[in-house]
Amino acid sequence: LKNVIFLLAMLKMFLIFGQNFDEKKRIVIDVGHGGKDSGAIGRNGILEKDIVLNVAKEIMRLNNSILDDGFDIYLTRYCDTFISLADRSRLAKVLDVDVFVSLHCNAFKNNSKGIEVYVHQSKNGEVISSLALGKAILYESTQKLGFENRGLKSANFQVLRETVGFCPSVLVEIGFVSNIEEGDYFLKPSNIRAMALAILVGIYNYLR
């Protein structure tokens, strides 16, 4: 079923990407954790830092192969290295990006599951635009991939606080590694590709 959904999403992508932007949009994908900071650890031993790096790299590959580099996409890290939170937001500001998306995985002691998106809790800056971006990513990743939609939430995460003043910014928790089913989901390259595609389509639909 998930493979079928992925193929349907691919078809949709080919259709909608017939339209071009007047100018190339610049995007930073903030790849959470890294290096000494593994992030959450799943029941199957899978690490948050590895999942989000794989998804981010696949977003870049899809941008290249399907969009013919339609976006300028930059990652905050390209390998297993530690990057400070300040440097992550600083990169987005220096690049004067149009969108900032931070990727993470959730974990909790119970069997929680699903995807949720955070925006900054203030009412200043690009909060309204961030809500629209988050809604677009949530729709693609839950409606197309079958994940539970845990909704849009607000928080004072540093990467959001330091980017919302100059660009739409969201932090996406792409699933619970503490949930055995969702942890196992990210062991398959086809599922990594499906999640990356959902996020990329969500960004595209927001910018469109």
Side-chain angles (χ1 to χ4, degrees):
L1 177 60
K2 289 175 180 175
N3 285 337
V4 171
I5 293 172
F6 172 68
L7 291 174
L8 290 174
M10 286 286 290
L11 175 61
K12 176 184 177 182
M13 205 168 185
F14 280 119
L15 292 173
I16 65 175
F17 287 153
Q19 307 175 40
N20 294 318
F21 293 111
D22 293 332
E23 60 183 63
K24 213 170 187 180
K25 300 297 183 180
R26 191 170 296 164
I27 299 164
V28 160
I29 304 295
D30 173 35
V31 188
H33 306 282
K36 63 184 180 181
D37 179 9
S38 67
I41 303 174
R43 294 186 186 179
N44 51 18
I46 196 168
L47 303 180
E48 177 182 1
K49 67 175 183 177
D50 295 333
I51 295 173
V52 293
L53 181 59
N54 290 337
V55 171
K57 286 183 173 180
E58 190 60 33
I59 290 173
M60 292 194 71
R61 279 192 286 268
L62 290 168
N63 179 57
N64 176 264
S65 61
I66 296 178
L67 291 186
D68 193 24
D69 283 327
F71 295 130
D72 278 332
I73 297 182
Y74 301 85
L75 306 185
T76 53
R77 64 181 179 91
Y78 293 83
C79 58
D80 185 17
T81 186
F82 179 78
I83 306 294
S84 73
L85 296 177
D87 284 342
R88 294 167 187 267
S89 53
R90 189 176 295 118
L91 174 66
K93 189 168 187 177
V94 168
L95 291 174
D96 190 25
V97 298
D98 296 286
V99 166
F100 178 91
V101 177
S102 186
L103 299 182
H104 290 264
C105 294
N106 244 327
F108 201 63
K109 59 185 178 181
N110 63 20
N111 206 33
S112 297
K113 60 182 180 178
I115 296 174
E116 58 193 19
V117 175
Y118 286 87
V119 300
H120 192 250
Q121 63 189 26
S122 74
K123 296 181 180 180
N124 301 319
E126 297 281 354
V127 174
I128 300 301
S129 297
S130 299
L131 287 168
L133 171 61
K135 184 178 179 180
I137 292 174
L138 263 179
Y139 177 82
E140 294 298 329
S141 58
T142 58
Q143 295 297 311
K144 302 299 174 62
L145 302 184
F147 279 78
E148 180 180 318
N149 186 338
R150 295 175 60 89
L152 285 166
K153 302 180 179 182
S154 62
N156 191 33
F157 297 135
Q158 184 174 340
V159 291
L160 297 180
R161 184 173 67 248
E162 294 181 353
T163 54
V164 71
F166 58 85
C167 73
S169 58
V170 296
L171 187 148
V172 185
E173 299 276 6
I174 61 174
F176 281 77
V177 294
S178 53
N179 180 292
I180 192 66
E181 180 181 351
E182 293 189 353
D184 286 348
Y185 179 87
F186 290 108
L187 293 174
K188 297 181 179 180
S190 60
N191 292 338
I192 292 288
R193 189 175 305 116
M195 181 60 69
L197 179 60
I199 293 169
L200 184 59
V201 172
I203 294 171
Y204 178 90
N205 286 341
Y206 162 74
L207 289 172
R208 184 180 61 165

